[in-house]
Amino acid sequence: MTGRWLAFPILMVMVAAGHTQALEAQIKLRDLVFTGGVAAEAYRGNLPAVTVPVVDETERAAAAVGEFSARGDVLFLNGSGRSLSLAFDGGIRQFAAAGFELRDYAPREWVGSIDVRYVQVLGDLGVLQVLTRVKGRSVEDRPPMPLFIQPGYRNASGTLSFQTRPIRDVRFDVAVGGEISDYRSLDLTPQLDLLDRRTASLELGAEWGSGESTVRFSGGYRAYWYPEQGSFDPDDPFRRDRAVQAGVQWTLRAPLIVQVGLEGIINRSNSDRPEYDALSLSTLLSAPLPGGFGINLFGVLTGKSYFSATEFARLVPGEEADNASVVYLSLTRALAPNLDGALRVGWTRAETDIGSSYFQRYGATLLFHYRPVGR
């Protein structure tokens, strides 16, 4: 997937911004946001990574980052208990990295996604929802560790879900989905083809409460297939993973927005990679402050243990992010009728594609969000 293709959602919203009146006559543009900002980031941990073509020695790296993105939400159909909408999001991040031995790197990251969502009310039974998503990433001049940037990929997924009407204040839901991920292989990193993955999933949930406070219990099963990766078992030659997930989440919506969740994952595989158990505690807080300010706090703390230990690389991009510990704190304020500003600081602790080898990222970001068509 090229950077030009990934920039397509940005071009879409630029056209939308220039033809707002025509759009309003045909469809409803519910949201359109342009975001620009700068960041300073520091990385710690001189760790190996099999998906990076260059080995460079450093314990610490730093980067200045400039970014621009655009996202929007367009409603095509709304009425008779059904709706059809399209959401798009695309952006670019340009890094200027320093601290490496061989040279300074200047990675450029393009990302983009398009979601199409159809919602149908089924009378007194509940609500049916179909979601399809196409997304991708392209990275130029990808640097060595510890400045970890996920490699380029293409991804397509689909989910069919159904939620019942309240039954004695309980809403039940079920969702089935599938996903295809193909990683972009280069001459220097042919091993990225081994990371191609196919996924099937099933999730069941039950939510208690209504209005301000709800509690949701969920359980799920995921099956993963890696068509390019062997298992070293002649009777079962290709790698297959199976994961069972269970979690609970409490949500309070007024006067603050508060979410607290606990999730456990048990992952097993037919290959020689180590299997693992993980437990994550997540929290979200969003609250208004005096002077027109707002505060947002998001955190996920994850503990992970391997069922057995091996000496070779065993993770794939995505797994290290799924099991990362992340904390973000942001302060926001409206600067003009269509312009918001945000100052965000964050910390990440995650694995590379070598299991149990962790790197850390610290960052501070100044962002501006502009809505040209108003709120």
Side-chain angles (χ1 to χ4, degrees):
M1 178 173 293
T2 65
R4 293 183 181 88
W5 192 94
L6 289 171
F8 180 67
I10 297 180
L11 297 179
M12 290 178 61
V13 296
M14 288 181 175
V15 172
H19 297 81
T20 300
Q21 293 181 350
L23 279 170
E24 290 178 346
Q26 303 173 35
I27 57 180
K28 183 178 181 181
L29 184 61
R30 293 190 292 191
D31 198 14
L32 177 58
V33 184
F34 293 97
T35 298
V38 293
E41 299 180 347
Y43 301 82
R44 301 291 183 266
N46 183 19
L47 305 170
V50 297
T51 57
V52 177
V54 179
V55 177
D56 203 341
E57 291 293 331
T58 185
E59 293 287 345
R60 301 168 181 266
V65 186
E67 61 179 272
F68 173 79
S69 66
R71 59 179 172 84
D73 186 8
V74 182
L75 184 64
F76 290 95
L77 175 66
N78 188 25
S80 302
R82 58 180 179 172
S83 67
L84 177 65
S85 62
L86 181 146
F88 43 84
D89 194 345
I92 177 176
R93 290 201 302 164
Q94 178 64 60
F95 295 74
F100 294 95
E101 293 285 337
L102 298 181
R103 67 178 178 91
D104 292 334
Y105 297 86
R108 178 178 299 143
E109 179 186 36
W110 298 82
V111 295
S113 67
I114 298 176
D115 294 1
V116 177
R117 186 186 306 268
Y118 177 75
V119 179
Q120 176 72 60
V121 178
L122 301 180
D124 294 331
L125 297 177
V127 179
L128 180 71
Q129 183 171 257
V130 180
L131 173 64
T132 61
R133 173 177 296 169
V134 178
K135 64 180 181 179
R137 177 193 306 270
S138 178
V139 182
E140 304 168 15
D141 196 25
R142 189 162 174 249
M145 294 300 295
L147 205 165
F148 182 81
I149 300 177
Q150 196 178 76
Y153 66 86
R154 294 172 293 181
N155 176 281
S157 63
T159 304
L160 174 65
S161 63
F162 175 74
Q163 185 179 58
T164 67
R165 295 284 191 180
I167 303 174
R168 296 183 179 179
D169 289 334
V170 181
R171 290 172 294 277
F172 298 94
D173 61 85
V174 58
V176 293
E179 186 175 4
I180 298 174
S181 297
D182 290 324
Y183 285 85
R184 186 185 179 194
S185 176
L186 303 176
D187 292 339
L188 296 177
T189 54
Q191 64 270 29
L192 286 177
D193 284 333
L194 300 176
L195 308 179
D196 294 349
R197 182 169 65 180
R198 311 292 181 261
T199 306
S201 63
L202 169 66
E203 181 174 297
L204 302 175
E207 185 178 72
W208 279 262
S210 60
E212 296 182 356
S213 179
T214 59
V215 177
R216 182 175 185 269
F217 293 88
S218 65
Y221 176 81
R222 288 182 177 270
Y224 303 93
W225 295 269
Y226 296 82
E228 304 295 334
Q229 194 172 146
S231 66
F232 305 101
D233 182 355
D235 297 326
D236 193 6
F238 296 102
R239 175 183 162 188
R240 295 181 296 105
D241 285 17
R242 301 293 183 265
V244 177
Q245 166 267 334
V248 58
Q249 184 179 77
W250 170 70
T251 302
L252 177 67
R253 296 181 176 85
L256 312 176
I257 298 177
V258 181
Q259 283 187 341
V260 179
L262 184 67
E263 181 182 66
I265 299 175
I266 298 175
N267 187 83
R268 297 295 179 260
S269 176
N270 70 332
S271 74
D272 286 344
R273 68 187 294 276
E275 300 150 320
Y276 66 85
D277 304 325
L279 184 66
S280 296
L281 174 65
S282 63
T283 182
L284 170 68
L285 170 65
S286 181
L289 296 177
F293 288 92
I295 187 171
N296 297 282
L297 171 65
F298 172 76
V300 178
L301 300 179
T302 301
K304 183 178 182 182
S305 62
Y306 287 100
F307 191 72
S308 60
T310 60
E311 298 296 331
F312 56 84
R314 61 242 191 190
L315 299 183
V316 301
E319 287 180 311
E320 76 288 331
D322 292 342
N323 296 288
S325 293
V326 180
V327 178
Y328 286 106
L329 175 65
S330 63
L331 190 66
T332 63
R333 190 180 191 279
L335 305 176
N338 288 11
L339 180 66
D340 295 340
L343 176 63
R344 184 179 67 192
V345 294
W347 167 79
T348 300
R349 181 179 183 266
E351 288 176 296
T352 68
D353 35 27
I354 306 293
S356 295
S357 296
Y358 288 85
F359 70 93
Q360 297 190 67
R361 170 194 170 274
Y362 305 86
T365 306
L366 180 63
L367 295 170
F368 296 95
H369 307 285
Y370 174 61
R371 288 176 165 83
V373 294
R375 298 176 185 270

